[in-house]
Amino acid sequence: EIVLTQSPATLSLSPGERATLSCRASQSVSKYLTWYQQHPGQPPRLLIYDASTRATGISARFSGSGSGTDFTLTINSLEPEDFAVYYCQQRVDWPLSFGGGTKVEIK
Amino acid sequence: EVQLVESGGGLVKPGESLTLSCTASGFTFNIAWMSWVRQSPGKGLEWVGRIKSNYDGGTTHYAVPLDGRFTISRDDSKNTVYLDINRLTTEDTAMYYCTRSQCGPGCPGLNWFDAWGQGAQVTVSS
C-alpha cells in the first residue's frame, strides 16, 4: 500500500498569508495526486487532481505542484473560508489511499 | 447540479449486516463509476471500493483489508449504488460517503472523487 504522509499536521496562519502544505508518498505516484478540502461537518471537496489541475470552480488561489513522491498544495492569500483540513490522495495503485490531513487554522 | 444522497445508516450491533444506498441526480448515472469512502476519527479517510459502469463492465474493486465483508452493487434504473456490509465490527464505525469516481480521458491511473454525498453515519455498538 502506498502511504501518504502530510505535513505539517497543523498550520496556524492569518488571513492574507500563504499556506504551503506538503504530501509525500512512500513510492512514486507519478502525477496522480489529488487534493481535497474538508470543513467540519461537511464531506471533502475536490480541489486539484493530477497534481496541478484545478477542479471546476476552484479559485486560482489554490495551486498544486510536484511529481513522483513530493507534492505541494499552495494557498495564496488565505481567505476565511480556506481554514479547513486538506487531504491528499493517490490514484496510481490499489488500494487508493489518503494522507492523514493538514489542518489550516486561524492564528 | 450533481447530487448524491446516502441513506440507510444507523446504530447496529456487532455481527449484524447493513445496506447503505446512494441515489444520484444531476448527471448521467449509468456511465458513471462510483466509489464508497469512509471516514472515522481514528483512521481518517479510507477508500472502501469502486464499481465501474455497466457500460464498462460493472466490475468492482475493494480495499483488501475489508476481508470480503463489503459488496458494492448498482441499479441504473434507480440511479442508485449500494454498499452491503456484513459481520459489522466496532472498527466499521464511520461516516460512509458515496462518491463519483473519475479518471480522465483514456483513464490513465485509477480514480479521484469529484462529487461527494453528505454521508451516512454507521455506528456499531452493543
PDB file of all heavy atoms in Angstrom, chain A residues 32 34 36 38 42-44 46 49 87 89 91-96 98, chain B residues 39 45 47 50 61 97 103 108-114 116-118:
ATOM      1  N   TYR A  32      -0.188  11.443 -10.318  1.00  0.00           N
ATOM      2  CA  TYR A  32      -1.541  11.044  -9.933  1.00  0.00           C
ATOM      3  C   TYR A  32      -1.840  11.311  -8.461  1.00  0.00           C
ATOM      4  O   TYR A  32      -2.095  10.396  -7.667  1.00  0.00           O
ATOM      5  CB  TYR A  32      -1.777   9.587 -10.315  1.00  0.00           C
ATOM      6  CG  TYR A  32      -1.649   9.345 -11.800  1.00  0.00           C
ATOM      7  CD1 TYR A  32      -0.835   8.337 -12.297  1.00  0.00           C
ATOM      8  CD2 TYR A  32      -2.336  10.154 -12.706  1.00  0.00           C
ATOM      9  CE1 TYR A  32      -0.719   8.128 -13.660  1.00  0.00           C
ATOM     10  CE2 TYR A  32      -2.222   9.951 -14.070  1.00  0.00           C
ATOM     11  CZ  TYR A  32      -1.412   8.934 -14.549  1.00  0.00           C
ATOM     12  OH  TYR A  32      -1.287   8.733 -15.898  1.00  0.00           O
ATOM     13  N   THR A  34      -4.077  13.845  -5.815  1.00  0.00           N
ATOM     14  CA  THR A  34      -5.285  14.669  -5.723  1.00  0.00           C
ATOM     15  C   THR A  34      -5.329  15.363  -4.371  1.00  0.00           C
ATOM     16  O   THR A  34      -4.861  14.807  -3.369  1.00  0.00           O
ATOM     17  CB  THR A  34      -6.529  13.768  -5.874  1.00  0.00           C
ATOM     18  OG1 THR A  34      -6.392  12.942  -7.024  1.00  0.00           O
ATOM     19  CG2 THR A  34      -7.809  14.590  -5.979  1.00  0.00           C
ATOM     20  N   TYR A  36      -7.951  17.473  -1.604  1.00  0.00           N
ATOM     21  CA  TYR A  36      -9.312  17.762  -1.192  1.00  0.00           C
ATOM     22  C   TYR A  36      -9.292  18.718  -0.003  1.00  0.00           C
ATOM     23  O   TYR A  36      -8.342  18.741   0.770  1.00  0.00           O
ATOM     24  CB  TYR A  36     -10.050  16.490  -0.752  1.00  0.00           C
ATOM     25  CG  TYR A  36     -10.129  15.412  -1.800  1.00  0.00           C
ATOM     26  CD1 TYR A  36      -9.123  14.458  -1.909  1.00  0.00           C
ATOM     27  CD2 TYR A  36     -11.204  15.341  -2.684  1.00  0.00           C
ATOM     28  CE1 TYR A  36      -9.177  13.467  -2.862  1.00  0.00           C
ATOM     29  CE2 TYR A  36     -11.263  14.346  -3.657  1.00  0.00           C
ATOM     30  CZ  TYR A  36     -10.245  13.416  -3.725  1.00  0.00           C
ATOM     31  OH  TYR A  36     -10.301  12.427  -4.685  1.00  0.00           O
ATOM     32  N   GLN A  38     -11.751  19.882   3.356  1.00  0.00           N
ATOM     33  CA  GLN A  38     -12.909  19.477   4.152  1.00  0.00           C
ATOM     34  C   GLN A  38     -13.133  20.446   5.307  1.00  0.00           C
ATOM     35  O   GLN A  38     -12.235  20.677   6.111  1.00  0.00           O
ATOM     36  CB  GLN A  38     -12.746  18.053   4.695  1.00  0.00           C
ATOM     37  CG  GLN A  38     -13.994  17.535   5.395  1.00  0.00           C
ATOM     38  CD  GLN A  38     -13.850  16.099   5.883  1.00  0.00           C
ATOM     39  OE1 GLN A  38     -12.772  15.658   6.249  1.00  0.00           O
ATOM     40  NE2 GLN A  38     -14.962  15.361   5.874  1.00  0.00           N
ATOM     41  N   GLN A  42     -18.769  18.600   6.984  1.00  0.00           N
ATOM     42  CA  GLN A  42     -19.013  18.564   5.542  1.00  0.00           C
ATOM     43  C   GLN A  42     -18.193  17.446   4.898  1.00  0.00           C
ATOM     44  O   GLN A  42     -17.165  17.035   5.432  1.00  0.00           O
ATOM     45  CB  GLN A  42     -18.636  19.891   4.902  1.00  0.00           C
ATOM     46  CG  GLN A  42     -19.496  21.055   5.355  1.00  0.00           C
ATOM     47  CD  GLN A  42     -20.937  20.887   4.916  1.00  0.00           C
ATOM     48  OE1 GLN A  42     -21.229  20.521   3.769  1.00  0.00           O
ATOM     49  NE2 GLN A  42     -21.860  21.136   5.828  1.00  0.00           N
ATOM     50  N   PRO A  43     -18.633  16.963   3.731  1.00  0.00           N
ATOM     51  CA  PRO A  43     -17.789  15.994   3.023  1.00  0.00           C
ATOM     52  C   PRO A  43     -16.587  16.697   2.404  1.00  0.00           C
ATOM     53  O   PRO A  43     -16.590  17.927   2.244  1.00  0.00           O
ATOM     54  CB  PRO A  43     -18.728  15.459   1.926  1.00  0.00           C
ATOM     55  CG  PRO A  43     -19.690  16.582   1.688  1.00  0.00           C
ATOM     56  CD  PRO A  43     -19.886  17.259   3.015  1.00  0.00           C
ATOM     57  N   PRO A  44     -15.580  15.942   2.054  1.00  0.00           N
ATOM     58  CA  PRO A  44     -14.443  16.531   1.325  1.00  0.00           C
ATOM     59  C   PRO A  44     -14.900  17.114  -0.008  1.00  0.00           C
ATOM     60  O   PRO A  44     -15.909  16.681  -0.590  1.00  0.00           O
ATOM     61  CB  PRO A  44     -13.498  15.349   1.116  1.00  0.00           C
ATOM     62  CG  PRO A  44     -13.839  14.394   2.227  1.00  0.00           C
ATOM     63  CD  PRO A  44     -15.326  14.539   2.397  1.00  0.00           C
ATOM     64  N   LEU A  46     -13.334  18.233  -3.852  1.00  0.00           N
ATOM     65  CA  LEU A  46     -12.198  18.129  -4.763  1.00  0.00           C
ATOM     66  C   LEU A  46     -11.640  19.510  -5.074  1.00  0.00           C
ATOM     67  O   LEU A  46     -12.375  20.421  -5.458  1.00  0.00           O
ATOM     68  CB  LEU A  46     -12.641  17.450  -6.066  1.00  0.00           C
ATOM     69  CG  LEU A  46     -11.597  17.383  -7.182  1.00  0.00           C
ATOM     70  CD1 LEU A  46     -10.445  16.461  -6.786  1.00  0.00           C
ATOM     71  CD2 LEU A  46     -12.255  16.908  -8.482  1.00  0.00           C
ATOM     72  N   TYR A  49      -6.596  17.806  -9.085  1.00  0.00           N
ATOM     73  CA  TYR A  49      -6.267  16.441  -9.464  1.00  0.00           C
ATOM     74  C   TYR A  49      -5.059  16.443 -10.388  1.00  0.00           C
ATOM     75  O   TYR A  49      -4.683  17.485 -10.944  1.00  0.00           O
ATOM     76  CB  TYR A  49      -7.467  15.732 -10.101  1.00  0.00           C
ATOM     77  CG  TYR A  49      -7.991  16.374 -11.375  1.00  0.00           C
ATOM     78  CD1 TYR A  49      -7.541  15.974 -12.611  1.00  0.00           C
ATOM     79  CD2 TYR A  49      -8.964  17.372 -11.314  1.00  0.00           C
ATOM     80  CE1 TYR A  49      -8.018  16.547 -13.771  1.00  0.00           C
ATOM     81  CE2 TYR A  49      -9.452  17.959 -12.453  1.00  0.00           C
ATOM     82  CZ  TYR A  49      -8.977  17.545 -13.695  1.00  0.00           C
ATOM     83  OH  TYR A  49      -9.456  18.125 -14.836  1.00  0.00           O
ATOM     84  N   TYR A  87      -6.584  17.138   2.497  1.00  0.00           N
ATOM     85  CA  TYR A  87      -6.120  15.770   2.323  1.00  0.00           C
ATOM     86  C   TYR A  87      -5.560  15.573   0.920  1.00  0.00           C
ATOM     87  O   TYR A  87      -6.083  16.114  -0.041  1.00  0.00           O
ATOM     88  CB  TYR A  87      -7.272  14.771   2.511  1.00  0.00           C
ATOM     89  CG  TYR A  87      -7.860  14.741   3.894  1.00  0.00           C
ATOM     90  CD1 TYR A  87      -9.005  15.481   4.204  1.00  0.00           C
ATOM     91  CD2 TYR A  87      -7.300  13.956   4.897  1.00  0.00           C
ATOM     92  CE1 TYR A  87      -9.558  15.452   5.471  1.00  0.00           C
ATOM     93  CE2 TYR A  87      -7.848  13.921   6.169  1.00  0.00           C
ATOM     94  CZ  TYR A  87      -8.968  14.677   6.450  1.00  0.00           C
ATOM     95  OH  TYR A  87      -9.517  14.641   7.709  1.00  0.00           O
ATOM     96  N   GLN A  89      -4.502  12.430  -1.902  1.00  0.00           N
ATOM     97  CA  GLN A  89      -4.934  11.064  -2.251  1.00  0.00           C
ATOM     98  C   GLN A  89      -4.187  10.622  -3.490  1.00  0.00           C
ATOM     99  O   GLN A  89      -4.037  11.412  -4.431  1.00  0.00           O
ATOM    100  CB  GLN A  89      -6.439  11.025  -2.519  1.00  0.00           C
ATOM    101  CG  GLN A  89      -6.977   9.679  -2.983  1.00  0.00           C
ATOM    102  CD  GLN A  89      -7.678   9.726  -4.333  1.00  0.00           C
ATOM    103  OE1 GLN A  89      -8.290  10.717  -4.694  1.00  0.00           O
ATOM    104  NE2 GLN A  89      -7.571   8.657  -5.108  1.00  0.00           N
ATOM    105  N   ARG A  91      -3.749   7.920  -6.779  1.00  0.00           N
ATOM    106  CA  ARG A  91      -4.574   7.064  -7.633  1.00  0.00           C
ATOM    107  C   ARG A  91      -3.711   6.277  -8.609  1.00  0.00           C
ATOM    108  O   ARG A  91      -4.122   5.987  -9.724  1.00  0.00           O
ATOM    109  CB  ARG A  91      -5.620   7.906  -8.373  1.00  0.00           C
ATOM    110  CG  ARG A  91      -5.060   8.865  -9.419  1.00  0.00           C
ATOM    111  CD  ARG A  91      -6.195   9.645 -10.050  1.00  0.00           C
ATOM    112  NE  ARG A  91      -5.809  10.351 -11.256  1.00  0.00           N
ATOM    113  CZ  ARG A  91      -5.945   9.879 -12.475  1.00  0.00           C
ATOM    114  NH1 ARG A  91      -6.468   8.666 -12.674  1.00  0.00           N
ATOM    115  NH2 ARG A  91      -5.589  10.600 -13.529  1.00  0.00           N
ATOM    116  N   VAL A  92      -2.525   5.899  -8.171  1.00  0.00           N
ATOM    117  CA  VAL A  92      -1.657   5.142  -9.070  1.00  0.00           C
ATOM    118  C   VAL A  92      -1.714   3.648  -8.790  1.00  0.00           C
ATOM    119  O   VAL A  92      -1.374   2.844  -9.654  1.00  0.00           O
ATOM    120  CB  VAL A  92      -0.201   5.653  -8.978  1.00  0.00           C
ATOM    121  CG1 VAL A  92       0.502   5.150  -7.712  1.00  0.00           C
ATOM    122  CG2 VAL A  92       0.591   5.262 -10.213  1.00  0.00           C
ATOM    123  N   ASP A  93      -2.151   3.269  -7.587  1.00  0.00           N
ATOM    124  CA  ASP A  93      -2.156   1.845  -7.258  1.00  0.00           C
ATOM    125  C   ASP A  93      -3.242   1.567  -6.246  1.00  0.00           C
ATOM    126  O   ASP A  93      -3.630   2.430  -5.461  1.00  0.00           O
ATOM    127  CB  ASP A  93      -0.789   1.423  -6.716  1.00  0.00           C
ATOM    128  CG  ASP A  93      -0.588  -0.086  -6.760  1.00  0.00           C
ATOM    129  OD1 ASP A  93      -1.419  -0.798  -7.388  1.00  0.00           O
ATOM    130  OD2 ASP A  93       0.394  -0.564  -6.165  1.00  0.00           O
ATOM    131  N   TRP A  94      -3.711   0.290  -6.263  1.00  0.00           N
ATOM    132  CA  TRP A  94      -4.646  -0.169  -5.246  1.00  0.00           C
ATOM    133  C   TRP A  94      -3.890  -0.481  -3.957  1.00  0.00           C
ATOM    134  O   TRP A  94      -2.772  -0.986  -4.010  1.00  0.00           O
ATOM    135  CB  TRP A  94      -5.373  -1.434  -5.701  1.00  0.00           C
ATOM    136  CG  TRP A  94      -6.111  -1.351  -6.979  1.00  0.00           C
ATOM    137  CD1 TRP A  94      -5.809  -1.986  -8.143  1.00  0.00           C
ATOM    138  CD2 TRP A  94      -7.305  -0.592  -7.243  1.00  0.00           C
ATOM    139  NE1 TRP A  94      -6.736  -1.674  -9.094  1.00  0.00           N
ATOM    140  CE2 TRP A  94      -7.657  -0.822  -8.592  1.00  0.00           C
ATOM    141  CE3 TRP A  94      -8.111   0.253  -6.479  1.00  0.00           C
ATOM    142  CZ2 TRP A  94      -8.783  -0.238  -9.172  1.00  0.00           C
ATOM    143  CZ3 TRP A  94      -9.227   0.834  -7.060  1.00  0.00           C
ATOM    144  CH2 TRP A  94      -9.545   0.590  -8.389  1.00  0.00           C
ATOM    145  N   PRO A  95      -4.501  -0.253  -2.814  1.00  0.00           N
ATOM    146  CA  PRO A  95      -5.759   0.469  -2.662  1.00  0.00           C
ATOM    147  C   PRO A  95      -5.549   1.969  -2.797  1.00  0.00           C
ATOM    148  O   PRO A  95      -4.487   2.495  -2.447  1.00  0.00           O
ATOM    149  CB  PRO A  95      -6.169   0.109  -1.244  1.00  0.00           C
ATOM    150  CG  PRO A  95      -4.880  -0.054  -0.515  1.00  0.00           C
ATOM    151  CD  PRO A  95      -3.931  -0.662  -1.509  1.00  0.00           C
ATOM    152  N   LEU A  96      -6.548   2.665  -3.318  1.00  0.00           N
ATOM    153  CA  LEU A  96      -6.487   4.122  -3.301  1.00  0.00           C
ATOM    154  C   LEU A  96      -6.297   4.554  -1.854  1.00  0.00           C
ATOM    155  O   LEU A  96      -6.937   4.024  -0.951  1.00  0.00           O
ATOM    156  CB  LEU A  96      -7.785   4.703  -3.854  1.00  0.00           C
ATOM    157  CG  LEU A  96      -8.183   4.208  -5.252  1.00  0.00           C
ATOM    158  CD1 LEU A  96      -9.525   4.792  -5.661  1.00  0.00           C
ATOM    159  CD2 LEU A  96      -7.106   4.531  -6.275  1.00  0.00           C
ATOM    160  N   PHE A  98      -5.306   7.803   1.149  1.00  0.00           N
ATOM    161  CA  PHE A  98      -5.314   9.209   1.515  1.00  0.00           C
ATOM    162  C   PHE A  98      -4.217   9.493   2.548  1.00  0.00           C
ATOM    163  O   PHE A  98      -3.830   8.617   3.322  1.00  0.00           O
ATOM    164  CB  PHE A  98      -6.661   9.582   2.164  1.00  0.00           C
ATOM    165  CG  PHE A  98      -7.850   9.502   1.246  1.00  0.00           C
ATOM    166  CD1 PHE A  98      -8.512   8.299   1.055  1.00  0.00           C
ATOM    167  CD2 PHE A  98      -8.321  10.635   0.614  1.00  0.00           C
ATOM    168  CE1 PHE A  98      -9.615   8.225   0.214  1.00  0.00           C
ATOM    169  CE2 PHE A  98      -9.438  10.582  -0.217  1.00  0.00           C
ATOM    170  CZ  PHE A  98     -10.076   9.371  -0.417  1.00  0.00           C
TER     171      PHE A  98
ATOM    172  N   GLN B  39     -14.933   7.485   6.673  1.00  0.00           N
ATOM    173  CA  GLN B  39     -14.090   8.357   7.495  1.00  0.00           C
ATOM    174  C   GLN B  39     -14.421   8.151   8.953  1.00  0.00           C
ATOM    175  O   GLN B  39     -15.574   8.306   9.374  1.00  0.00           O
ATOM    176  CB  GLN B  39     -14.297   9.825   7.122  1.00  0.00           C
ATOM    177  CG  GLN B  39     -13.377  10.798   7.844  1.00  0.00           C
ATOM    178  CD  GLN B  39     -13.512  12.212   7.310  1.00  0.00           C
ATOM    179  OE1 GLN B  39     -14.577  12.657   6.883  1.00  0.00           O
ATOM    180  NE2 GLN B  39     -12.409  12.948   7.308  1.00  0.00           N
ATOM    181  N   LEU B  45      -9.583   9.202   6.322  1.00  0.00           N
ATOM    182  CA  LEU B  45     -10.314   8.818   5.114  1.00  0.00           C
ATOM    183  C   LEU B  45      -9.792   7.475   4.608  1.00  0.00           C
ATOM    184  O   LEU B  45      -8.586   7.269   4.492  1.00  0.00           O
ATOM    185  CB  LEU B  45     -10.148   9.875   4.027  1.00  0.00           C
ATOM    186  CG  LEU B  45     -10.902  11.183   4.239  1.00  0.00           C
ATOM    187  CD1 LEU B  45     -10.372  12.261   3.301  1.00  0.00           C
ATOM    188  CD2 LEU B  45     -12.397  10.976   4.027  1.00  0.00           C
ATOM    189  N   TRP B  47     -10.622   4.585   1.526  1.00  0.00           N
ATOM    190  CA  TRP B  47     -11.364   4.125   0.361  1.00  0.00           C
ATOM    191  C   TRP B  47     -11.873   2.709   0.633  1.00  0.00           C
ATOM    192  O   TRP B  47     -11.119   1.853   1.097  1.00  0.00           O
ATOM    193  CB  TRP B  47     -10.467   4.170  -0.863  1.00  0.00           C
ATOM    194  CG  TRP B  47     -11.048   3.519  -2.067  1.00  0.00           C
ATOM    195  CD1 TRP B  47     -12.042   4.002  -2.880  1.00  0.00           C
ATOM    196  CD2 TRP B  47     -10.678   2.261  -2.616  1.00  0.00           C
ATOM    197  NE1 TRP B  47     -12.305   3.112  -3.887  1.00  0.00           N
ATOM    198  CE2 TRP B  47     -11.479   2.037  -3.760  1.00  0.00           C
ATOM    199  CE3 TRP B  47      -9.739   1.291  -2.256  1.00  0.00           C
ATOM    200  CZ2 TRP B  47     -11.370   0.891  -4.542  1.00  0.00           C
ATOM    201  CZ3 TRP B  47      -9.623   0.149  -3.022  1.00  0.00           C
ATOM    202  CH2 TRP B  47     -10.438  -0.046  -4.159  1.00  0.00           C
ATOM    203  N   ARG B  50     -14.959   0.397  -5.311  1.00  0.00           N
ATOM    204  CA  ARG B  50     -15.437   1.081  -6.513  1.00  0.00           C
ATOM    205  C   ARG B  50     -16.196   0.116  -7.403  1.00  0.00           C
ATOM    206  O   ARG B  50     -15.861  -1.072  -7.469  1.00  0.00           O
ATOM    207  CB  ARG B  50     -14.245   1.660  -7.269  1.00  0.00           C
ATOM    208  CG  ARG B  50     -14.620   2.406  -8.546  1.00  0.00           C
ATOM    209  CD  ARG B  50     -13.484   2.448  -9.547  1.00  0.00           C
ATOM    210  NE  ARG B  50     -13.232   1.155 -10.170  1.00  0.00           N
ATOM    211  CZ  ARG B  50     -12.204   0.897 -10.959  1.00  0.00           C
ATOM    212  NH1 ARG B  50     -11.318   1.840 -11.200  1.00  0.00           N
ATOM    213  NH2 ARG B  50     -12.056  -0.289 -11.500  1.00  0.00           N
ATOM    214  N   HIS B  61     -13.991  -3.336  -7.282  1.00  0.00           N
ATOM    215  CA  HIS B  61     -12.656  -3.459  -6.694  1.00  0.00           C
ATOM    216  C   HIS B  61     -12.769  -2.953  -5.268  1.00  0.00           C
ATOM    217  O   HIS B  61     -13.400  -1.927  -5.022  1.00  0.00           O
ATOM    218  CB  HIS B  61     -11.647  -2.616  -7.482  1.00  0.00           C
ATOM    219  CG  HIS B  61     -10.266  -3.161  -7.442  1.00  0.00           C
ATOM    220  ND1 HIS B  61      -9.651  -3.727  -8.537  1.00  0.00           N
ATOM    221  CD2 HIS B  61      -9.367  -3.249  -6.434  1.00  0.00           C
ATOM    222  CE1 HIS B  61      -8.436  -4.124  -8.202  1.00  0.00           C
ATOM    223  NE2 HIS B  61      -8.237  -3.839  -6.938  1.00  0.00           N
ATOM    224  N   TYR B  97     -19.245   7.787   2.837  1.00  0.00           N
ATOM    225  CA  TYR B  97     -19.539   8.717   1.757  1.00  0.00           C
ATOM    226  C   TYR B  97     -19.650   7.963   0.433  1.00  0.00           C
ATOM    227  O   TYR B  97     -18.800   7.117   0.112  1.00  0.00           O
ATOM    228  CB  TYR B  97     -18.436   9.757   1.615  1.00  0.00           C
ATOM    229  CG  TYR B  97     -18.315  10.728   2.760  1.00  0.00           C
ATOM    230  CD1 TYR B  97     -17.283  10.609   3.674  1.00  0.00           C
ATOM    231  CD2 TYR B  97     -19.216  11.773   2.908  1.00  0.00           C
ATOM    232  CE1 TYR B  97     -17.142  11.516   4.719  1.00  0.00           C
ATOM    233  CE2 TYR B  97     -19.093  12.680   3.956  1.00  0.00           C
ATOM    234  CZ  TYR B  97     -18.053  12.538   4.851  1.00  0.00           C
ATOM    235  OH  TYR B  97     -17.924  13.435   5.884  1.00  0.00           O
ATOM    236  N   CYS B 103     -11.393   9.367 -13.815  1.00  0.00           N
ATOM    237  CA  CYS B 103     -10.002   9.012 -14.080  1.00  0.00           C
ATOM    238  C   CYS B 103      -9.446   9.727 -15.298  1.00  0.00           C
ATOM    239  O   CYS B 103      -8.306   9.495 -15.667  1.00  0.00           O
ATOM    240  CB  CYS B 103      -9.823   7.503 -14.207  1.00  0.00           C
ATOM    241  SG  CYS B 103     -10.870   6.708 -15.400  1.00  0.00           S
ATOM    242  N   PRO B 108      -6.075   7.076 -17.598  1.00  0.00           N
ATOM    243  CA  PRO B 108      -4.773   6.699 -17.061  1.00  0.00           C
ATOM    244  C   PRO B 108      -4.873   6.692 -15.547  1.00  0.00           C
ATOM    245  O   PRO B 108      -5.585   7.493 -14.956  1.00  0.00           O
ATOM    246  CB  PRO B 108      -3.852   7.814 -17.546  1.00  0.00           C
ATOM    247  CG  PRO B 108      -4.741   9.004 -17.632  1.00  0.00           C
ATOM    248  CD  PRO B 108      -6.104   8.473 -18.031  1.00  0.00           C
ATOM    249  N   GLY B 109      -4.185   5.810 -14.904  1.00  0.00           N
ATOM    250  CA  GLY B 109      -4.257   5.786 -13.456  1.00  0.00           C
ATOM    251  C   GLY B 109      -5.617   5.297 -12.980  1.00  0.00           C
ATOM    252  O   GLY B 109      -6.445   4.822 -13.756  1.00  0.00           O
ATOM    253  N   LEU B 110      -5.853   5.418 -11.724  1.00  0.00           N
ATOM    254  CA  LEU B 110      -7.088   4.953 -11.103  1.00  0.00           C
ATOM    255  C   LEU B 110      -7.982   6.169 -10.888  1.00  0.00           C
ATOM    256  O   LEU B 110      -8.106   6.977 -11.801  1.00  0.00           O
ATOM    257  CB  LEU B 110      -6.759   4.187  -9.829  1.00  0.00           C
ATOM    258  CG  LEU B 110      -5.844   2.965 -10.080  1.00  0.00           C
ATOM    259  CD1 LEU B 110      -5.407   2.309  -8.783  1.00  0.00           C
ATOM    260  CD2 LEU B 110      -6.527   1.971 -11.005  1.00  0.00           C
ATOM    261  N   ASN B 111      -8.637   6.291  -9.738  1.00  0.00           N
ATOM    262  CA  ASN B 111      -9.694   7.289  -9.627  1.00  0.00           C
ATOM    263  C   ASN B 111      -9.430   8.394  -8.619  1.00  0.00           C
ATOM    264  O   ASN B 111      -8.784   8.180  -7.593  1.00  0.00           O
ATOM    265  CB  ASN B 111     -11.003   6.608  -9.223  1.00  0.00           C
ATOM    266  CG  ASN B 111     -11.435   5.577 -10.235  1.00  0.00           C
ATOM    267  OD1 ASN B 111     -11.528   4.396  -9.923  1.00  0.00           O
ATOM    268  ND2 ASN B 111     -11.683   6.019 -11.451  1.00  0.00           N
ATOM    269  N   TRP B 112      -9.960   9.568  -8.961  1.00  0.00           N
ATOM    270  CA  TRP B 112     -10.181  10.582  -7.940  1.00  0.00           C
ATOM    271  C   TRP B 112     -11.694  10.754  -7.792  1.00  0.00           C
ATOM    272  O   TRP B 112     -12.456  10.182  -8.563  1.00  0.00           O
ATOM    273  CB  TRP B 112      -9.470  11.885  -8.304  1.00  0.00           C
ATOM    274  CG  TRP B 112     -10.065  12.685  -9.417  1.00  0.00           C
ATOM    275  CD1 TRP B 112     -11.105  13.577  -9.362  1.00  0.00           C
ATOM    276  CD2 TRP B 112      -9.648  12.699 -10.781  1.00  0.00           C
ATOM    277  NE1 TRP B 112     -11.354  14.108 -10.589  1.00  0.00           N
ATOM    278  CE2 TRP B 112     -10.478  13.616 -11.482  1.00  0.00           C
ATOM    279  CE3 TRP B 112      -8.645  12.034 -11.492  1.00  0.00           C
ATOM    280  CZ2 TRP B 112     -10.329  13.871 -12.841  1.00  0.00           C
ATOM    281  CZ3 TRP B 112      -8.502  12.280 -12.843  1.00  0.00           C
ATOM    282  CH2 TRP B 112      -9.334  13.185 -13.507  1.00  0.00           C
ATOM    283  N   PHE B 113     -12.103  11.547  -6.807  1.00  0.00           N
ATOM    284  CA  PHE B 113     -13.517  11.637  -6.458  1.00  0.00           C
ATOM    285  C   PHE B 113     -13.977  13.081  -6.602  1.00  0.00           C
ATOM    286  O   PHE B 113     -13.567  13.938  -5.825  1.00  0.00           O
ATOM    287  CB  PHE B 113     -13.735  11.136  -5.036  1.00  0.00           C
ATOM    288  CG  PHE B 113     -13.034   9.837  -4.766  1.00  0.00           C
ATOM    289  CD1 PHE B 113     -11.954   9.783  -3.908  1.00  0.00           C
ATOM    290  CD2 PHE B 113     -13.440   8.667  -5.395  1.00  0.00           C
ATOM    291  CE1 PHE B 113     -11.280   8.601  -3.677  1.00  0.00           C
ATOM    292  CE2 PHE B 113     -12.777   7.474  -5.180  1.00  0.00           C
ATOM    293  CZ  PHE B 113     -11.686   7.433  -4.318  1.00  0.00           C
ATOM    294  N   ASP B 114     -14.818  13.324  -7.608  1.00  0.00           N
ATOM    295  CA  ASP B 114     -15.175  14.707  -7.906  1.00  0.00           C
ATOM    296  C   ASP B 114     -16.529  15.134  -7.360  1.00  0.00           C
ATOM    297  O   ASP B 114     -16.903  16.296  -7.491  1.00  0.00           O
ATOM    298  CB  ASP B 114     -15.103  14.983  -9.409  1.00  0.00           C
ATOM    299  CG  ASP B 114     -16.239  14.342 -10.179  1.00  0.00           C
ATOM    300  OD1 ASP B 114     -16.801  13.333  -9.695  1.00  0.00           O
ATOM    301  OD2 ASP B 114     -16.557  14.853 -11.270  1.00  0.00           O
ATOM    302  N   TRP B 116     -19.198  14.232  -3.869  1.00  0.00           N
ATOM    303  CA  TRP B 116     -19.380  13.501  -2.613  1.00  0.00           C
ATOM    304  C   TRP B 116     -20.794  13.750  -2.081  1.00  0.00           C
ATOM    305  O   TRP B 116     -21.306  14.873  -2.157  1.00  0.00           O
ATOM    306  CB  TRP B 116     -18.379  13.984  -1.560  1.00  0.00           C
ATOM    307  CG  TRP B 116     -16.937  13.761  -1.891  1.00  0.00           C
ATOM    308  CD1 TRP B 116     -16.225  14.320  -2.924  1.00  0.00           C
ATOM    309  CD2 TRP B 116     -16.029  12.933  -1.171  1.00  0.00           C
ATOM    310  NE1 TRP B 116     -14.924  13.880  -2.895  1.00  0.00           N
ATOM    311  CE2 TRP B 116     -14.772  13.033  -1.821  1.00  0.00           C
ATOM    312  CE3 TRP B 116     -16.126  12.118  -0.047  1.00  0.00           C
ATOM    313  CZ2 TRP B 116     -13.630  12.341  -1.376  1.00  0.00           C
ATOM    314  CZ3 TRP B 116     -15.004  11.444   0.403  1.00  0.00           C
ATOM    315  CH2 TRP B 116     -13.772  11.559  -0.269  1.00  0.00           C
ATOM    316  N   GLY B 117     -21.370  12.709  -1.500  1.00  0.00           N
ATOM    317  CA  GLY B 117     -22.605  12.909  -0.763  1.00  0.00           C
ATOM    318  C   GLY B 117     -22.318  13.471   0.619  1.00  0.00           C
ATOM    319  O   GLY B 117     -21.157  13.642   0.994  1.00  0.00           O
ATOM    320  N   GLN B 118     -23.378  13.753   1.361  1.00  0.00           N
ATOM    321  CA  GLN B 118     -23.215  14.275   2.721  1.00  0.00           C
ATOM    322  C   GLN B 118     -22.820  13.195   3.715  1.00  0.00           C
ATOM    323  O   GLN B 118     -22.371  13.509   4.819  1.00  0.00           O
ATOM    324  CB  GLN B 118     -24.509  14.950   3.178  1.00  0.00           C
ATOM    325  CG  GLN B 118     -24.775  16.272   2.483  1.00  0.00           C
ATOM    326  CD  GLN B 118     -23.738  17.320   2.822  1.00  0.00           C
ATOM    327  OE1 GLN B 118     -23.378  17.525   3.983  1.00  0.00           O
ATOM    328  NE2 GLN B 118     -23.231  18.015   1.809  1.00  0.00           N
TER     329      GLN B 118
END
